[in-house]
Amino acid sequence: MKREKVKHMSVKGGASLFALRIFVTCLAAAAWWECLFSVFPGMVVSRSWLYGAGLVLAVIIGGAVSCPRRKVAVPAVILAAALLCWRFFYVIQGAAAHLVNAYLAVHQERGFEVRFWEEGSLSAGTLAVGTAVLVCVPLLTILLLVIRWGRGKLVAVLILLLPVLAAILEGAFPSAWATWMLIVTGGCYLTAAGAGGRDMAGPAGAAWAGTAIAAVTLLVLGGVSVLAGRAADVIRLEEDGFYSQTRQAIQTGVVDNLNAVRLRMEGQDEEADDRPEEEEQLPREREEDRAEVAAKEAPSASDEQSETPGDSGAGTLPWDTEADGMTDLASVARFSPDGTAAVDVRLEEAPYGTVYYPLRWGGAYTGQSWEETSGEDGRDSLFLSWPEGLDRLEELCASWPSDTVEEAEKQIDRELTQKAVYDTEPGRTPTGEDFAEYFVFESERGFCVHFATAAVLMYRMMGYPARYVEGYAVPASAFSRQADGTYLAVADGTMGHAWCETFEDGEWTVREHTPASDGSASPGSETQTASDSALRHGQAGDQEKAGPGAMRIAGRAALLLAIVGCVIGAFFLQAAVRRKRRLRVLGGRNRTKAVEAIYGTIYDRSRTMGMKESSPLREETCRRMADMWDSIKEQEMRWLYQLVLESMFNEKRPSAREYRKAMDIYRKTGAEMYSRLRGWQRWKYKYIWCL
């Protein structure tokens, strides 16, 4: 009767583990595809067909590698797949051409000459099924074999990271949600794979619980990291806070002294002593921060350098300009940051985001240039005008719903993100071509001037007054607190930037549409309000409403959550390490130590279940251990006891058959123990006892 009960539990547990493995493998494969789709938009494959076919293939492959007759099932599946590929080779060929062309399209955007493959005409469903057979069969096979055998997890990790590596090679990165999806599903997959392989599969309930806990933990840690990242700048810029005090101490006690030593070595003591106090107060940051290094090397701003926006003499930008100061779009070919024309930017309060310092505004657009304007009234029809001949751009904007300027902003941002990529050397616009239309529909490569110009025209065509702005985008990290309580940064050519502004409710608002790039001039990513005061700087709307006090509280709360998350992660990590060590001994090639570890674990389990402590190698202890378990007979425990004695004292190496029998006793006691425990005891069994 006991044997029948154990057999029923084993079959039920095996089915549950099979379902878990299929589930986590399919989720990981779906996240793998989403990362590819987010970077290579040319992969136009029906997701429903692709994921449906992947699920069917996962069940077939998983069943083949898990069934008792796998020596026959696996070759049969391989043969069937080969016959299908041979019969429908044109489908496989078309799917391969589609995937390769999608990759080459992104590769071409970086300026490489590529040769595309010829694609056949396939329906969406046929293309998805062909893609599933071409890619999902090897992908799922490797992932299922790793999770089935419990080995090769490093190979699985490398395979899961392939989309990320491919994206990085093309100078891109998967979207945030796709990346987090891959991290969470990959963690669940590795947790399920760590539950045990062929010989050490633990209780199915424990495997499901561990996978669920891993998913929740990763989601919590992900949320905490996002909150901590958003609040990091608030904590960093807190007045008289720990960061500010530490930074000031390092500045005065280390950096300044090292700089003085360097100047003495270079024989420049006299020049250093002649510098005004204002220059000595300028921020000195790490050398790898290009913008701030340039600010240090630039001369301090004199009284002749205006801090008032709109003074066209306040600075020059790192691209060609016309005589009147506005950018000559016909000559724009590359973005070359430099450290000239430094301008002091001083704020009364610490900035929480990018500070936009305008130099000049563009009103009328001619197709090859912007005409500078001093008009501040957004109701002027000038800010709703565009030249004739922009038919493609007008047709594109006419198809978008734009009930509010925020909806228009999302539409423009989505279109520019999908159509164009950031490039510091896009080349000149051909003669006779409109600058904006050529950028959006032809070259699809450009930097801030291109994105800002196109965005201004799109807003105007959608009925919202907009203007083109050139100036500096100063990151919050460039500001340092001065002795008088203000915050100072030095803006120069490394921070040169162009952006768009829209007019609404009597004021101009910054609309940033240039994608973030290491080669850009620190474009902001938040929508900022530009007033007509002496200096226009922005803070995120939520931060303006909440205030510095609320943001400090949020930052400390995020820090506390991060600490709690790290403690929880460390708790689960120690349990995983201890279980891994135990399983490594149990599944090692040294069968003598494995059998001894099996007997010792059963003794620990018996003690946990209430057996009185005594010497493990006494015969009386063996009898008590047998009485503790319903799933094994006394003869089986005595046999294991004798096997341990022979291996320890007679140096007898257990055979493979004896080892498998001992593992069978080990699994029976583990399953019975877990079934007896309830609630909190199961947690202790899994994460504290690690039995």
Side-chain angles (χ1 to χ4, degrees):
M1 188 61 134
K2 293 179 181 177
R3 282 186 173 275
E4 293 178 357
K5 181 179 179 181
V6 172
K7 183 177 180 180
H8 174 71
M9 292 173 58
S10 177
V11 172
K12 183 178 180 181
S16 182
L17 283 175
F18 176 78
L20 173 64
R21 290 165 177 168
I22 297 298
F23 178 68
V24 297
T25 302
C26 289
L27 282 182
W32 190 89
W33 277 112
E34 289 300 327
C35 282
L36 278 181
F37 291 149
S38 66
V39 178
F40 303 100
M43 294 183 182
V44 185
V45 180
S46 173
R47 283 173 168 77
S48 58
W49 277 93
L50 178 64
Y51 296 154
L55 176 60
V56 173
L57 290 172
V59 173
I60 294 174
I61 298 171
V65 300
S66 302
C67 71
R69 299 181 179 274
R70 53 181 168 271
K71 292 184 179 180
V72 177
V74 172
V77 171
I78 295 175
L79 179 61
L83 290 175
L84 286 174
C85 291
W86 175 76
R87 174 63 180 83
F88 300 99
F89 180 73
Y90 70 96
V91 177
I92 305 299
Q93 188 179 32
H98 179 76
L99 295 178
V100 171
N101 287 342
Y103 176 83
L104 293 178
V106 175
H107 195 64
Q108 188 184 48
E109 291 175 354
R110 299 175 59 203
F112 296 95
E113 293 295 332
V114 296
R115 181 178 180 182
F116 292 96
W117 290 15
E118 183 178 354
E119 296 185 36
S121 57
L122 299 174
S123 64
T126 303
L127 179 61
V129 173
T131 303
V133 173
L134 178 66
V135 180
C136 290
V137 168
L139 173 66
L140 294 173
T141 300
I142 296 174
L143 294 180
L144 286 170
L145 284 175
V146 169
I147 200 173
R148 174 67 180 85
W149 294 91
R151 298 177 183 176
K153 287 186 275 294
L154 179 60
V155 176
V157 171
L158 293 177
I159 290 176
L160 290 176
L161 291 178
L162 276 179
V164 180
L165 297 177
I168 293 175
L169 289 176
E170 294 305 323
F173 200 81
S175 62
W177 74 269
T179 305
W180 274 112
M181 182 180 176
L182 185 63
I183 293 174
V184 173
T185 56
C188 293
Y189 170 83
L190 293 176
T191 302
R198 175 183 57 183
D199 296 325
M200 294 162 289
W208 277 98
T211 304
I213 291 171
V216 173
T217 303
L218 289 172
L219 288 173
V220 171
L221 291 177
V224 168
S225 67
V226 172
L227 291 175
R230 291 179 178 178
D233 284 342
V234 178
I235 298 175
R236 179 174 58 80
L237 296 174
E238 184 177 357
E239 295 185 11
D240 299 326
F242 173 77
Y243 177 87
S244 298
Q245 294 176 1
T246 304
R247 176 179 173 178
Q248 186 65 25
I250 295 175
Q251 170 70 38
T252 57
V254 180
V255 178
D256 288 345
N257 291 334
L258 292 176
N259 191 54
V261 172
R262 179 181 65 82
L263 292 176
R264 291 192 193 98
M265 295 177 63
E266 295 176 356
Q268 298 179 2
D269 287 340
E270 296 182 359
E271 296 181 9
D273 293 335
D274 293 336
R275 287 178 301 177
E277 294 183 358
E278 291 80 5
E279 183 178 354
E280 294 178 357
Q281 295 177 357
L282 291 179
R284 300 171 184 264
E285 292 292 321
R286 299 185 305 271
E287 289 186 358
E288 57 265 32
D289 192 333
R290 181 177 58 190
E292 296 186 21
V293 168
K296 291 187 297 181
E297 295 176 351
S300 61
S302 63
D303 294 336
E304 297 178 357
Q305 289 176 315
S306 172
E307 293 187 12
T308 304
D311 185 357
S312 61
T316 58
L317 297 175
W319 52 73
D320 296 338
T321 57
E322 295 176 330
D324 60 357
M326 288 302 295
T327 296
D328 179 13
L329 302 181
S331 65
V332 169
R334 61 194 305 267
F335 180 86
S336 301
D338 60 69
T340 61
V343 176
D344 284 356
V345 180
R346 192 180 299 270
L347 303 178
E348 296 297 327
E349 297 180 356
Y352 294 113
T354 301
V355 175
Y356 290 89
Y357 187 98
L359 295 177
R360 41 193 170 267
W361 296 271
Y365 173 73
T366 65
Q368 296 295 326
S369 65
W370 285 98
E371 295 181 2
E372 187 171 1
T373 178
S374 58
E376 296 292 326
D377 188 0
R379 290 181 291 269
D380 193 326
S381 60
L382 172 70
F383 301 113
L384 283 172
S385 64
W386 63 87
E388 297 181 355
L390 304 183
D391 298 334
R392 288 185 293 177
L393 206 57
E394 290 184 43
E395 183 179 357
L396 178 64
C397 296
S399 63
W400 295 340
S402 56
D403 295 335
T404 64
V405 68
E406 286 75 19
E407 290 183 4
E409 181 181 28
K410 292 179 181 179
Q411 293 283 1
I412 294 172
D413 201 49
R414 184 183 301 111
E415 185 68 21
L416 292 179
T417 301
Q418 292 177 351
K419 276 186 171 294
V421 295
Y422 188 94
D423 192 341
T424 57
E425 297 187 8
R428 298 176 184 270
T429 303
T431 304
E433 294 281 353
D434 180 85
F435 180 82
E437 282 210 338
Y438 181 76
F439 161 65
V440 175
F441 299 104
E442 302 296 337
S443 72
E444 299 180 347
R445 294 183 295 134
F447 50 91
C448 55
V449 174
H450 300 76
F451 285 92
T453 298
V456 170
L457 294 175
M458 288 179 175
Y459 277 113
R460 292 182 177 183
M461 292 176 180
M462 298 173 75
Y464 299 101
R467 64 183 180 185
Y468 171 85
V469 190
E470 293 178 350
Y472 299 123
V474 188
S477 59
F479 287 85
S480 63
R481 193 168 185 266
Q482 305 301 300
D484 59 358
T486 61
Y487 290 82
L488 176 67
V490 177
D492 55 34
T494 64
M495 304 177 190
H497 191 48
W499 63 90
C500 168
E501 289 182 357
T502 60
F503 187 82
E504 188 179 24
D505 297 331
E507 63 180 12
W508 290 96
T509 301
V510 173
R511 304 289 178 183
E512 182 60 77
H513 292 284
T514 303
S517 172
D518 292 339
S520 65
S522 304
S525 59
E526 299 171 345
T527 300
Q528 314 255 344
T529 300
S531 64
D532 290 333
S533 59
L535 181 64
R536 305 179 182 199
H537 70 279
Q539 301 177 1
D542 293 341
Q543 294 172 344
E544 287 181 347
K545 296 177 182 178
M551 289 306 299
R552 283 195 291 270
I553 295 175
R556 289 165 182 166
L559 181 61
L560 178 62
L561 287 175
I563 295 174
V564 173
C566 291
V567 172
I568 294 175
F571 173 74
F572 289 119
L573 180 62
Q574 63 83 26
V577 171
R578 290 167 60 193
R579 283 197 303 271
K580 189 68 176 179
R581 288 177 179 175
R582 183 186 296 274
L583 293 176
R584 185 179 292 115
V585 175
L586 293 175
R589 295 182 178 180
N590 191 333
R591 297 195 192 112
T592 300
K593 291 185 177 180
V595 169
E596 294 173 4
I598 289 171
Y599 185 82
T601 302
I602 296 176
Y603 172 77
D604 292 338
R605 290 173 175 173
S606 302
R607 285 279 322 283
T608 303
M609 298 303 293
M611 186 186 76
K612 186 178 179 180
E613 182 178 3
S614 60
S615 175
L617 296 180
R618 292 179 55 187
E619 188 173 355
E620 178 65 21
T621 303
C622 174
R623 185 185 62 78
R624 291 178 182 175
M625 290 168 59
D627 293 339
M628 292 296 301
W629 306 102
D630 297 333
S631 57
I632 58 175
K633 296 182 178 180
E634 184 176 351
Q635 292 87 337
E636 292 179 309
M637 183 56 67
R638 287 185 178 277
W639 171 85
L640 179 60
Y641 174 69
Q642 291 297 328
L643 182 64
V644 171
L645 293 179
E646 291 176 357
S647 63
M648 292 180 64
F649 301 110
N650 298 338
E651 297 183 356
K652 175 187 175 182
R653 186 174 185 271
S655 64
R657 181 176 177 275
E658 289 172 332
Y659 167 73
R660 287 194 296 269
K661 185 176 179 180
M663 281 299 301
D664 185 55
I665 298 174
Y666 169 83
R667 284 193 292 267
K668 288 179 182 179
T669 57
E672 182 178 346
M673 182 179 182
Y674 192 78
S675 65
R676 289 184 184 182
L677 300 177
R678 294 292 182 271
W680 170 244
Q681 289 182 327
R682 291 192 173 187
W683 277 76
K684 292 170 67 177
Y685 168 85
K686 184 75 174 177
Y687 300 106
I688 298 179
W689 301 332
C690 299
L691 297 176

